[in-house]
Amino acid sequence: MLSILSRTLLPLSFLASSVAFAASAAPGMPPAGEARGDAAAGQAAALVCSACHGQEGKAILPTYPNLGGQHYSYLLRQMRAFKGGDRYAQLMMGQVDNLPDDTLKNIAAYYADKALQQNDPGTADLALGEKIYRDGLLDKGVPACSACHSPRGLGNGPAGFPVVSGQNAGYVDAQLKAYRAGERATDESYGQMMRGVVRNLNDEEIAAVSAYVQGLR
């Protein structure tokens, strides 16, 4: 019952936008009207990316995101956001600025076709992390993460929600704090949903849910 009630906290504007987005793409495929990138061509283009994200999409440091098995549409959208200046990350500066859109599509296809990475859980309070992920915190107005990212953390490709299963806890922790601080705003077209979700989470709770999703599979 708690999980069901917590899902009602999602903004109606976000629900409307996610339905519209879902109607525009099939799982693992590009938005309507766009051709999917060439994964084989993306292998060569991803050589530079592999210095941080690994050739198979397994990040070399826990503060970097795993890309293997991530939804194609999400990968492409984030690279376009970096290139367009809608998302900022110091280590990504200059990495995609001069790449044509076709190359971004190829890189997205390459990593999307890799196996989903798996991890052991982090060391924070996993019981608390599971509660936040599966049920939310009704008393704080925090909805369940699983409502959008699925019970197994596989996300929702058509709606643009990323895979979080096996994602590095250090990276998840940093991104949730960036949303909370308003430093990341890639949820603008979703009614600022992520910023609303993490607004009432403290550092301990963010660490807990980050550690939990790292081991989710």
Side-chain angles (χ1 to χ4, degrees):
M1 177 62 73
L2 179 60
S3 179
I4 294 173
L5 289 173
S6 65
R7 293 178 193 185
T8 66
L9 298 169
L10 291 171
L12 292 178
S13 60
F14 154 71
L15 290 174
S17 65
S18 65
V19 169
F21 193 101
S24 69
M29 298 301 291
E34 291 193 25
R36 192 178 193 270
D38 183 338
Q43 182 173 4
L47 284 175
V48 175
C49 311
S50 66
C52 292
H53 300 289
Q55 196 64 30
E56 299 298 313
K58 174 71 172 177
I60 63 170
L61 292 175
T63 51
Y64 301 159
N66 296 325
L67 303 184
Q70 185 58 265
H71 293 299
Y72 170 88
S73 57
Y74 182 79
L75 291 170
L76 180 58
R77 184 160 61 91
Q78 296 310 305
M79 286 190 287
R80 285 173 171 172
F82 283 126
K83 183 175 180 178
D86 296 322
R87 181 178 176 186
Y88 172 81
Q90 187 173 9
L91 290 175
M92 285 297 296
M93 288 182 65
Q95 297 301 316
V96 298
D97 292 359
N98 297 317
L99 296 180
D101 200 58
D102 283 348
T103 299
L104 300 185
K105 291 180 179 180
N106 294 341
I107 293 172
Y110 174 74
Y111 278 120
D113 286 354
K114 291 297 180 182
L116 181 64
Q117 300 300 313
Q118 293 188 341
N119 261 325
D120 292 327
T123 57
D125 187 340
L126 297 180
L128 174 60
E130 182 176 15
K131 175 178 174 55
I132 296 169
Y133 187 85
R134 298 197 176 280
D135 297 322
L137 298 174
L138 188 60
D139 59 329
K140 301 183 73 171
V142 178
C145 308
S146 60
C148 292
H149 296 285
S150 92
R152 293 179 55 204
L154 301 180
N156 185 327
F161 305 144
V163 174
V164 295
S165 173
Q167 189 57 269
N168 290 324
Y171 173 75
V172 175
D173 186 281
Q175 297 311 301
L176 293 180
K177 288 177 178 176
Y179 274 123
R180 188 181 63 183
E183 297 167 356
R184 180 172 174 180
T186 50
D187 61 345
E188 193 66 38
S189 61
Y190 295 90
Q192 300 186 7
M193 181 194 66
M194 282 302 302
R195 281 172 281 181
V197 167
V198 300
R199 183 180 296 121
N200 294 323
L201 289 178
N202 59 37
D203 286 357
E204 178 187 0
E205 291 161 344
I206 286 178
V209 74
S210 300
Y212 177 74
V213 299
Q214 178 173 287
L216 191 59
R217 60 184 66 178

